[in-house]
Amino acid sequence: MAYPELVKLEGAPRELSKQANRALRAEKRVPAVLYGPEVEENVHFSIDELELEKILRRAQTKLQELTIDGKVYKTLLKRTEFDPVTDRPIHADFYVLSDNHKVTLRVPVRIKGTPRGVVEGGGRLFQPMKFIRIRVLPEFIISEFEVDVSPLNIGNSFHVGDLELEGIIPLDALSRTIVTIRPPKGALVSDVLTDDEDEEGAEEGAAEGEEGAEGEGSEEGGSEESSSEE
């Protein structure tokens, strides 16, 4: 897991009108709003477009130390609107973090390494999930999940439940697949496994069958539901 860098930004109070917003955008400033559970009244301000674009360049969770009129806020950039023609940012929402209030985020997944099944067996890597939805207290906010796919062979997958989730409540099912290694086109998993892998799999299956016969019913069924109450 990677933790977010705290970026310093300067904001300036703004007027609430379409004309004022157009004037700000002409000056390459982005209209923005600040809100949060401990903010009594929303704060309307503008920020430099270039400074905002710097923290938008990489798909990561972003935290900011935002200063407006001498007051400092620790914020999370929650939402950015873009012009459909120019793709320039035209509005931004900043959420003021509170130590006692959980936030809901979409955290990107970054793949690290080259799977064994791709290098040795010509397999194909598929990544069905590029973002994971989570709910956390501010102290547990991360910028991205990093998944090392190097050990994965053809037929192997990496699931949400395989992530390091200390202090994190995943909102996606633990069984959902993040990455899977498929066989080469036109081949089946059984066609590309080596003889050693076939034998190893058979031995593991036999061992699991013996253990299951002895310990059947020893594990509790069901799963706990994590509370997301603030």
Side-chain angles (χ1 to χ4, degrees):
M1 291 190 298
Y3 293 91
E5 177 186 357
L6 191 64
V7 180
K8 293 186 177 182
L9 289 177
E10 290 281 342
R14 66 179 173 96
E15 296 179 14
L16 287 177
S17 71
K18 290 183 179 180
Q19 184 177 359
N21 287 343
R22 282 195 296 267
L24 286 169
R25 292 174 184 130
E27 297 171 2
K28 293 194 173 181
R29 292 193 65 82
V30 181
V33 63
L34 184 77
Y35 59 91
E38 296 182 1
V39 177
E40 293 182 3
E41 187 176 348
N42 291 358
V43 179
H44 300 274
F45 65 102
S46 68
I47 53 173
D48 183 85
E49 183 178 326
L50 182 59
E51 292 302 309
L52 178 61
E53 286 182 340
K54 284 180 182 178
I55 61 176
L56 290 172
R57 285 175 185 167
R58 191 172 180 186
Q60 288 186 335
T61 305
K62 296 134 183 116
L63 299 183
Q64 302 79 37
E65 185 179 274
L66 179 59
T67 304
I68 305 170
D69 261 355
K71 189 169 182 179
V72 180
Y73 305 89
K74 185 177 180 181
T75 69
L76 171 72
L77 177 58
K78 287 283 283 183
R79 184 168 177 262
T80 308
E81 295 179 38
F82 297 89
D83 186 284
V85 177
T86 65
D87 202 36
R88 288 174 57 187
I90 57 174
H91 194 274
D93 290 6
F94 289 84
Y95 178 88
V96 182
L97 296 169
S98 168
D99 292 340
N100 301 316
H101 289 79
K102 295 185 179 73
V103 292
T104 300
L105 307 170
R106 288 174 73 246
V107 178
V109 178
R110 184 168 69 87
I111 299 302
K112 175 185 175 183
T114 304
R116 177 185 170 193
V118 172
V119 175
E120 299 178 4
R124 298 169 296 153
L125 182 149
F126 284 83
Q127 186 182 352
M129 295 186 73
K130 291 183 168 55
F131 291 88
I132 309 294
R133 294 178 303 132
I134 66 171
R135 188 162 174 78
V136 290
L137 287 170
E139 63 180 302
F140 294 111
I141 289 177
I142 60 173
S143 61
E144 63 184 10
F145 285 107
E146 185 180 272
V147 175
D148 184 3
V149 297
S150 304
L152 299 183
N153 212 328
I154 291 174
N156 294 159
S157 297
F158 192 98
H159 303 91
V160 172
D162 297 320
L163 294 168
E164 184 182 340
L165 295 169
E166 183 180 357
I168 296 172
I169 302 170
L171 301 181
D172 293 299
L174 298 180
S175 60
R176 287 195 62 184
T177 299
I178 298 174
V179 175
T180 188
I181 311 302
R182 295 181 183 174
K185 285 187 176 180
L188 300 174
V189 174
S190 57
D191 295 334
V192 293
L193 289 177
T194 64
D195 291 339
D196 290 342
E197 287 170 331
D198 284 335
E199 291 173 6
E200 183 181 340
E203 289 173 2
E204 288 179 357
E208 288 174 2
E210 291 171 6
E211 291 174 3
E214 292 175 3
E216 188 176 350
S218 60
E219 294 184 2
E220 294 181 1
S223 60
E224 291 185 5
E225 267 190 27
S226 299
S227 171
S228 60
E229 292 181 1
E230 297 175 353

